[in-house]
């Protein structure tokens, strides 16, 4: 994991069971529109790697995901 991946994991961990929405994560990382696409790719990679999980959420303003640390058994 590089520094950005570690920062993402740290932010999601701090959010505990509530997790963070994609928008909240972008805001905390101060990501502009171009960087948001890169962050979505990173989040997908971290999810495929088994480190985090996502849940789709439909909001009045559109669609987002809530990211959480994957619980281990």
């Amino acid at each position: 994991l590089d520094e950005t991946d570690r920062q993402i994991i740290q932010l999601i961990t701090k959010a505990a069971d509530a997790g963070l929405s994609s928008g909240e994560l972008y805001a905390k990382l101060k990501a502009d529109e171009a960087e948001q696409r890169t962050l979505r790719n990173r989040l997908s990679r971290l999810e495929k790697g088994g480190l985090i999980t996502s849940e789709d959420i439909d909001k009045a303003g559109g669609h987002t995901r809530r990211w959480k640390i994957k619980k281990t058994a």
Side-chain angles (χ1 to χ4, degrees):
L1 301 176
D2 68 11
E3 182 61 32
T4 303
D5 288 344
R6 286 191 294 273
Q7 192 175 12
I8 290 168
I9 297 290
Q10 184 179 40
L11 288 169
I12 295 171
T13 300
K14 284 183 181 178
D17 289 337
L20 282 177
S21 71
S22 297
E24 292 167 332
L25 196 53
Y26 301 153
K28 288 182 183 292
L29 293 169
K30 296 176 176 57
D32 63 27
E33 284 189 38
E35 293 169 322
Q36 289 176 17
R37 180 68 186 151
T38 300
L39 286 174
R40 283 193 296 273
N41 289 337
R42 285 179 176 272
L43 288 163
S44 292
R45 186 174 41 78
L46 292 169
E47 184 175 31
K48 287 176 185 169
L51 298 172
I52 60 175
T53 61
S54 69
E55 172 187 2
D56 290 333
I57 299 172
D58 289 321
K59 294 172 59 173
H63 175 83
T64 190
R65 287 181 154 181
R66 180 151 306 275
W67 300 94
K68 298 181 181 183
I69 294 296
K70 185 170 183 174
K71 302 231 189 265
T72 56

